Amino acid sequence: MKRLLLLLLPAILAIVPLRVSAQEESYRFDIGGQLGMSGYAGDASSNIFSHPGFAGGVSFRYLPDVRWAVRAVFNAMGLSGDTKGMDDVLPGGAQYSFKSTVYDLGGRVEFNFLPYGIGETYKQLKRISPYLAVGVGVSLASCEGQTAVGFNIPMAFGVKYKLRERLNLGLEFSITKVFNDHMDGPLADLHQIQTSFVRNTDWYSDISISLTYEFGKRCSTCHYVD
Protein backbone atom coordinates (compact mmCIF):
# COMPACT_ATOMS: atom_id res chain seq x y z
CA MET A 1 0.00 0.00 0.00
CA LYS A 2 2.80 2.39 0.89
CA ARG A 3 4.55 1.65 -2.41
CA LEU A 4 1.29 2.27 -4.29
CA LEU A 5 0.82 5.63 -2.55
CA LEU A 6 4.38 6.63 -3.37
CA LEU A 7 3.79 5.76 -7.00
CA LEU A 8 0.51 7.70 -7.14
CA LEU A 9 1.78 10.76 -5.23
CA PRO A 10 3.44 12.46 -8.24
CA ALA A 11 0.25 12.06 -10.29
CA ILE A 12 -1.90 13.45 -7.45
CA LEU A 13 0.42 16.45 -7.04
CA ALA A 14 0.24 17.08 -10.78
CA ILE A 15 -3.57 17.00 -10.84
CA VAL A 16 -4.25 19.15 -7.75
CA PRO A 17 -2.66 22.38 -9.06
CA LEU A 18 -4.68 22.07 -12.26
CA ARG A 19 -7.90 21.84 -10.28
CA VAL A 20 -6.98 24.81 -8.10
CA SER A 21 -6.05 26.82 -11.17
CA ALA A 22 -9.36 25.99 -12.86
CA GLN A 23 -11.24 27.15 -9.81
CA GLU A 24 -9.35 30.43 -9.82
CA GLU A 25 -9.78 31.47 -13.43
CA SER A 26 -11.07 35.00 -13.91
CA TYR A 27 -11.61 37.23 -16.92
CA ARG A 28 -10.93 40.82 -17.94
CA PHE A 29 -13.99 41.59 -20.08
CA ASP A 30 -17.63 40.75 -20.63
CA ILE A 31 -20.05 41.44 -23.46
CA GLY A 32 -23.80 40.99 -23.73
CA GLY A 33 -27.21 42.51 -24.21
CA GLN A 34 -30.18 43.79 -22.26
CA LEU A 35 -33.95 44.02 -22.79
CA GLY A 36 -36.48 45.93 -20.78
CA MET A 37 -39.01 48.72 -20.37
CA SER A 38 -38.43 52.45 -20.82
CA GLY A 39 -40.14 55.39 -19.14
CA TYR A 40 -40.25 59.16 -19.59
CA ALA A 41 -40.68 62.21 -17.36
CA GLY A 42 -40.84 65.73 -18.78
CA ASP A 43 -43.29 68.32 -20.01
CA ALA A 44 -45.71 65.69 -21.32
CA SER A 45 -45.58 63.30 -18.36
CA SER A 46 -45.05 63.80 -14.65
CA ASN A 47 -44.89 60.06 -13.86
CA ILE A 48 -41.94 58.15 -15.25
CA PHE A 49 -43.93 54.88 -15.27
CA SER A 50 -47.17 56.18 -16.86
CA HIS A 51 -46.11 55.65 -20.50
CA PRO A 52 -43.93 52.50 -20.69
CA GLY A 53 -42.08 51.61 -23.88
CA PHE A 54 -39.62 49.05 -25.23
CA ALA A 55 -35.89 49.28 -24.52
CA GLY A 56 -32.98 47.15 -25.66
CA GLY A 57 -29.25 47.39 -26.14
CA VAL A 58 -25.76 45.95 -25.92
CA SER A 59 -22.88 46.49 -23.49
CA PHE A 60 -19.17 45.86 -23.06
CA ARG A 61 -17.38 45.81 -19.69
CA TYR A 62 -13.77 46.05 -18.60
CA LEU A 63 -13.28 44.26 -15.26
CA PRO A 64 -10.18 45.62 -13.47
CA ASP A 65 -11.05 43.80 -10.23
CA VAL A 66 -13.93 42.20 -8.31
CA ARG A 67 -15.32 45.51 -7.02
CA TRP A 68 -15.13 47.82 -10.02
CA ALA A 69 -16.17 47.72 -13.68
CA VAL A 70 -16.08 50.18 -16.55
CA ARG A 71 -18.99 49.68 -18.93
CA ALA A 72 -19.81 50.99 -22.40
CA VAL A 73 -23.55 50.88 -23.19
CA PHE A 74 -25.64 51.45 -26.31
CA ASN A 75 -29.41 51.49 -25.86
CA ALA A 76 -32.39 52.17 -28.11
CA MET A 77 -35.79 52.89 -26.60
CA GLY A 78 -39.24 54.21 -27.36
CA LEU A 79 -40.56 57.16 -25.34
CA SER A 80 -44.06 58.57 -25.27
CA GLY A 81 -46.12 61.05 -23.27
CA ASP A 82 -49.41 62.95 -23.15
CA THR A 83 -50.46 66.09 -21.28
CA LYS A 84 -54.02 64.78 -20.94
CA GLY A 85 -54.91 64.53 -17.26
CA MET A 86 -51.98 66.67 -16.11
CA ASP A 87 -52.62 69.59 -13.77
CA ASP A 88 -50.12 71.83 -15.54
CA VAL A 89 -51.18 72.10 -19.18
CA LEU A 90 -50.51 74.19 -22.26
CA PRO A 91 -52.01 77.70 -22.51
CA GLY A 92 -55.67 77.69 -23.50
CA GLY A 93 -56.10 74.08 -22.35
CA ALA A 94 -54.36 72.70 -25.44
CA GLN A 95 -53.02 69.15 -25.25
CA TYR A 96 -49.81 67.62 -26.51
CA SER A 97 -48.73 64.02 -27.07
CA PHE A 98 -45.66 62.50 -28.69
CA LYS A 99 -43.80 59.32 -29.56
CA SER A 100 -40.05 59.35 -30.06
CA THR A 101 -37.17 56.95 -30.51
CA VAL A 102 -34.07 57.63 -28.45
CA TYR A 103 -30.56 56.25 -29.00
CA ASP A 104 -28.24 56.41 -26.01
CA LEU A 105 -24.47 55.85 -26.15
CA GLY A 106 -22.34 56.26 -23.04
CA GLY A 107 -19.87 55.00 -20.50
CA ARG A 108 -20.38 54.16 -16.83
CA VAL A 109 -18.37 53.23 -13.77
CA GLU A 110 -19.87 50.45 -11.64
CA PHE A 111 -19.15 49.66 -8.00
CA ASN A 112 -20.05 46.23 -6.60
CA PHE A 113 -21.03 46.25 -2.92
CA LEU A 114 -19.62 42.72 -2.58
CA PRO A 115 -16.53 41.09 -4.15
CA TYR A 116 -18.22 39.57 -7.18
CA GLY A 117 -17.19 36.30 -8.81
CA ILE A 118 -16.82 32.52 -8.59
CA GLY A 119 -13.72 30.66 -7.41
CA GLU A 120 -10.64 32.37 -5.98
CA THR A 121 -11.89 31.39 -2.50
CA TYR A 122 -9.10 33.30 -0.77
CA LYS A 123 -10.80 36.50 -2.06
CA GLN A 124 -14.13 35.46 -0.48
CA LEU A 125 -16.00 36.11 -3.72
CA LYS A 126 -19.79 36.27 -3.78
CA ARG A 127 -21.97 34.88 -6.52
CA ILE A 128 -24.46 37.75 -6.19
CA SER A 129 -23.86 41.45 -5.58
CA PRO A 130 -25.85 44.70 -5.73
CA TYR A 131 -24.11 47.58 -7.48
CA LEU A 132 -24.32 51.30 -8.25
CA ALA A 133 -23.34 52.97 -11.52
CA VAL A 134 -22.93 56.53 -12.80
CA GLY A 135 -21.59 57.87 -16.06
CA VAL A 136 -21.88 60.25 -19.00
CA GLY A 137 -23.30 59.79 -22.47
CA VAL A 138 -25.03 61.25 -25.49
CA SER A 139 -28.72 60.95 -26.39
CA LEU A 140 -30.16 61.33 -29.88
CA ALA A 141 -33.94 61.55 -30.20
CA SER A 142 -36.08 61.30 -33.33
CA CYS A 143 -39.63 62.65 -33.11
CA GLU A 144 -42.02 63.79 -35.87
CA GLY A 145 -39.20 64.10 -38.38
CA GLN A 146 -37.05 66.21 -36.06
CA THR A 147 -33.89 65.18 -34.24
CA ALA A 148 -32.36 66.43 -31.03
CA VAL A 149 -29.01 65.67 -29.41
CA GLY A 150 -27.94 66.23 -25.81
CA PHE A 151 -25.40 65.12 -23.24
CA ASN A 152 -26.75 62.96 -20.45
CA ILE A 153 -25.91 61.60 -17.02
CA PRO A 154 -27.14 58.03 -16.35
CA MET A 155 -27.50 56.77 -12.78
CA ALA A 156 -28.27 53.13 -12.07
CA PHE A 157 -28.82 50.55 -9.34
CA GLY A 158 -28.79 46.84 -10.04
CA VAL A 159 -28.02 43.28 -8.97
CA LYS A 160 -25.60 40.84 -10.67
CA TYR A 161 -25.79 37.08 -10.36
CA LYS A 162 -23.33 34.51 -11.73
CA LEU A 163 -25.24 31.74 -13.48
CA ARG A 164 -21.94 30.01 -14.34
CA GLU A 165 -18.26 30.85 -14.30
CA ARG A 166 -18.49 33.13 -17.37
CA LEU A 167 -22.23 33.80 -17.56
CA ASN A 168 -23.83 36.71 -15.68
CA LEU A 169 -27.48 37.63 -15.20
CA GLY A 170 -28.34 41.20 -14.26
CA LEU A 171 -31.38 43.23 -13.21
CA GLU A 172 -31.01 47.02 -13.39
CA PHE A 173 -33.00 50.21 -12.97
CA SER A 174 -31.45 53.31 -14.50
CA ILE A 175 -32.60 56.90 -14.75
CA THR A 176 -30.99 59.34 -17.16
CA LYS A 177 -30.99 63.12 -17.09
CA VAL A 178 -30.68 64.69 -20.56
CA PHE A 179 -29.32 68.19 -21.07
CA ASN A 180 -31.77 68.90 -23.87
CA ASP A 181 -35.49 69.64 -23.60
CA HIS A 182 -36.48 68.07 -26.94
CA MET A 183 -36.44 64.34 -26.25
CA ASP A 184 -40.24 64.76 -26.37
CA GLY A 185 -40.31 66.61 -29.70
CA PRO A 186 -40.62 70.32 -30.44
CA LEU A 187 -42.30 71.11 -27.11
CA ALA A 188 -39.80 73.14 -25.08
CA ASP A 189 -41.83 73.76 -21.93
CA LEU A 190 -45.48 74.18 -21.07
CA HIS A 191 -45.51 77.97 -20.81
CA GLN A 192 -42.51 78.88 -22.99
CA ILE A 193 -40.79 80.17 -19.84
CA GLN A 194 -37.38 79.07 -18.66
CA THR A 195 -38.03 77.75 -15.17
CA SER A 196 -35.97 75.41 -13.03
CA PHE A 197 -33.02 73.31 -14.12
CA VAL A 198 -35.04 70.11 -13.56
CA ARG A 199 -38.13 71.35 -15.39
CA ASN A 200 -36.30 72.35 -18.57
CA THR A 201 -34.55 69.05 -19.21
CA ASP A 202 -36.03 65.64 -19.96
CA TRP A 203 -35.56 62.39 -18.07
CA TYR A 204 -35.99 58.78 -19.13
CA SER A 205 -35.68 55.48 -17.31
CA ASP A 206 -34.90 51.88 -18.16
CA ILE A 207 -35.73 48.69 -16.24
CA SER A 208 -33.84 45.86 -17.91
CA ILE A 209 -32.63 42.27 -17.63
CA SER A 210 -29.17 41.57 -19.04
CA LEU A 211 -27.14 38.51 -19.95
CA THR A 212 -23.37 38.83 -20.41
CA TYR A 213 -20.48 36.50 -21.22
CA GLU A 214 -16.94 36.92 -19.86
CA PHE A 215 -13.76 36.44 -21.91
CA GLY A 216 -10.09 37.41 -21.91
CA LYS A 217 -8.64 35.08 -19.28
CA ARG A 218 -6.30 36.65 -16.74
CA CYS A 219 -2.79 35.31 -16.30
CA SER A 220 -2.76 33.21 -13.10
CA THR A 221 0.23 32.03 -11.10
CA CYS A 222 -0.50 30.04 -7.94
CA HIS A 223 -2.83 32.22 -5.88
CA TYR A 224 -1.91 35.47 -7.58
CA VAL A 225 -4.08 36.84 -10.38
CA ASP A 226 -2.40 39.52 -12.49
Side-chain angles (χ1 to χ4, degrees):
M1 178 63 73
K2 290 183 179 179
R3 289 182 180 180
L4 181 60
L5 289 174
L6 289 173
L7 290 172
L8 292 176
L9 184 59
I12 293 171
L13 292 176
I15 293 171
V16 170
L18 290 175
R19 290 182 175 175
V20 172
S21 176
Q23 291 176 349
E24 296 184 350
E25 287 179 352
S26 60
Y27 301 87
R28 294 182 184 274
F29 311 102
D30 80 13
I31 190 169
Q34 55 272 354
L35 292 173
M37 180 185 75
S38 64
Y40 154 82
D43 295 317
S45 177
S46 57
N47 184 339
I48 207 164
F49 300 110
S50 61
H51 299 278
F54 172 81
V58 293
S59 71
F60 174 84
R61 279 190 183 95
Y62 168 57
L63 310 169
D65 59 39
V66 296
R67 290 278 190 172
W68 295 93
V70 180
R71 185 183 184 194
V73 181
F74 174 76
N75 281 323
M77 62 189 71
L79 303 184
S80 62
D82 194 333
T83 60
K84 184 178 180 180
M86 293 178 61
D87 295 331
D88 197 2
V89 297
L90 292 165
Q95 295 182 359
Y96 177 80
S97 62
F98 80 96
K99 289 184 178 181
S100 68
T101 302
V102 174
Y103 303 95
D104 182 319
L105 176 64
R108 306 177 186 181
V109 176
E110 296 178 353
F111 174 73
N112 301 321
F113 285 92
L114 301 173
Y116 179 67
I118 290 179
E120 297 179 287
T121 53
Y122 64 99
K123 289 186 177 180
Q124 298 182 331
L125 300 183
K126 306 299 181 183
R127 198 165 185 169
I128 187 170
S129 177
Y131 68 92
L132 289 176
V134 66
V136 293
V138 178
S139 300
L140 186 150
S142 174
C143 180
E144 298 180 6
Q146 298 185 15
T147 60
V149 178
F151 290 104
N152 67 52
I153 297 179
M155 296 160 279
F157 172 78
V159 178
K160 302 173 182 177
Y161 176 72
K162 274 203 169 290
L163 294 172
R164 300 181 64 181
E165 183 184 19
R166 297 196 190 191
L167 207 57
N168 305 281
L169 183 67
L171 175 64
E172 180 181 279
F173 171 75
S174 69
I175 186 165
T176 301
K177 184 179 184 64
V178 188
F179 294 89
N180 186 307
D181 204 26
H182 295 285
M183 298 294 106
D184 47 15
L187 181 66
D189 63 81
L190 294 181
H191 301 292
Q192 306 300 312
I193 299 173
Q194 292 294 317
T195 54
S196 69
F197 173 72
V198 173
R199 182 59 174 279
N200 282 283
T201 53
D202 293 329
W203 295 74
Y204 54 81
S205 67
D206 182 9
I207 301 175
S208 63
I209 296 175
S210 65
L211 188 66
T212 63
Y213 179 79
E214 296 180 4
F215 65 99
K217 188 185 299 184
R218 297 178 188 272
C219 177
S220 303
T221 305
C222 297
H223 294 289
Y224 174 76
V225 177
D226 185 16

